[in-house]
Amino acid sequence: MPVTKVVWLGHVTAQCYRCHSVSASGGTAGPDLSKLASPERKTDRRFLLESIMIPNAKIAKGFGTVSVVLESGKIIAGTIKSEDADSLTIVSTQNKTISVNRGEIEAKTITSSAMPDMKKLLSLHEIRDLVEYLSTLD
Ligand code: HEC
């Protein structure tokens, strides 16, 4: 196994594969990273490093967590599936797809990443290996 893949699979606390899959193996809580470094994605090492160190900097489409308070007092928390000028579609934490009109929304919290901040879990050396590994995923 290339040394760069060892952290991905073997790191006890980081456990990237628990939430991400590569070539159809791994979890689904985070985006599939199989094509992460393909030319269409235009990801560079800087972006990859940032994704690991500051997950909130750019949220992958469809994976931001949000919670909204409706005028009725109802609170919905989950991930944003889609949004347009009039509505917001959220997949709730109970796995229900709910569409809300923007007009009904009283308050909305800032979208954040469900990905743990890896700065505290990994050494610089491990992070460098990970960026190297991720940059081969095309
Ligand atoms: C608890 C689940 C979880 C773990 C563990 C996790 N991630 Fe994530 N990751 C996410 C989620 C959710 C997102 C999408 C939100 C975002 O963009 O930050 C994400 C986004 C990413 C992205 C950006 C993907 C894109 O398409 O823009 C990269 C790269 C990434 N993770 C790498 C890693 C690496 C490397 C590890 C292991 C060190 C890891 N993740 C561990 C949940 C996780």
Side-chain angles (χ1 to χ4, degrees), residues 33-49 51 58 131 134-138:
L33 301 182
S34 307
K35 297 263 176 269
L36 187 65
S38 66
E40 305 87 75
R41 284 292 313 264
K42 295 194 183 73
T43 47
D44 54 14
R45 275 159 203 259
R46 203 195 142 96
F47 169 84
L48 298 176
L49 182 64
S51 303
K58 294 190 190 75
V131 170
L134 294 174
S135 70
T136 65
L137 300 176
D138 57 2

Side-chain angles (χ1 to χ4, degrees), residues 14-16 19-20 31 41 47 55 58-60 63 113 115 118:
Q15 296 190 318
C16 318
C19 297
H20 294 286
R41 284 292 313 264
F47 169 84
K58 294 190 190 75
I59 309 286
F63 286 95
S113 176
M115 173 152 154
M118 294 292 168

Side-chain angles (χ1 to χ4, degrees), residues 5 30 42 57 67 75 89 91 105 109 111 115 132 137:
K5 207 176 164 182
K42 295 194 183 73
S67 66
I75 298 171
T89 304
V91 178
I105 300 174
T109 60
T111 314
M115 173 152 154
E132 195 60 40
L137 300 176

Side-chain angles (χ1 to χ4, degrees), residues 22-138:
V22 168
S23 313
S25 100
T28 55
D32 184 330
L33 301 182
S34 307
K35 297 263 176 269
L36 187 65
S38 66
E40 305 87 75
R41 284 292 313 264
K42 295 194 183 73
T43 47
D44 54 14
R45 275 159 203 259
R46 203 195 142 96
F47 169 84
L48 298 176
L49 182 64
E50 191 182 71
S51 303
I52 300 171
M53 305 286 274
I54 326 169
N56 280 329
K58 294 190 190 75
I59 309 286
K61 213 165 178 255
F63 286 95
T65 56
V66 68
S67 66
V68 294
V69 182
L70 303 183
E71 275 168 350
S72 63
K74 200 171 169 213
I75 298 171
I76 303 167
T79 53
I80 300 175
K81 191 167 167 229
S82 63
E83 58 183 318
D84 59 33
D86 305 318
S87 68
L88 197 63
T89 304
I90 298 171
V91 178
S92 75
T93 42
Q94 289 87 31
N95 222 4
K96 270 197 280 180
T97 304
I98 303 164
S99 228
V100 267
N101 279 327
R102 284 188 188 277
E104 287 176 78
I105 300 174
E106 179 119 340
K108 179 172 150 205
T109 60
I110 288 168
T111 314
S112 68
S113 176
M115 173 152 154
D117 182 347
M118 294 292 168
K119 271 202 298 289
K120 300 181 205 86
L121 301 179
L122 298 166
S123 69
L124 287 176
H125 184 93
E126 289 169 329
I127 290 170
R128 204 189 58 202
D129 275 0
L130 269 177
V131 170
E132 195 60 40
Y133 169 63
L134 294 174
S135 70
T136 65
L137 300 176
D138 57 2

Side-chain angles (χ1 to χ4, degrees), residues 3-22:
V3 70
T4 50
K5 207 176 164 182
V6 171
V7 181
W8 175 265
L9 286 174
H11 198 284
V12 192
T13 44
Q15 296 190 318
C16 318
Y17 64 89
R18 199 160 51 83
C19 297
H20 294 286
S21 63
V22 168

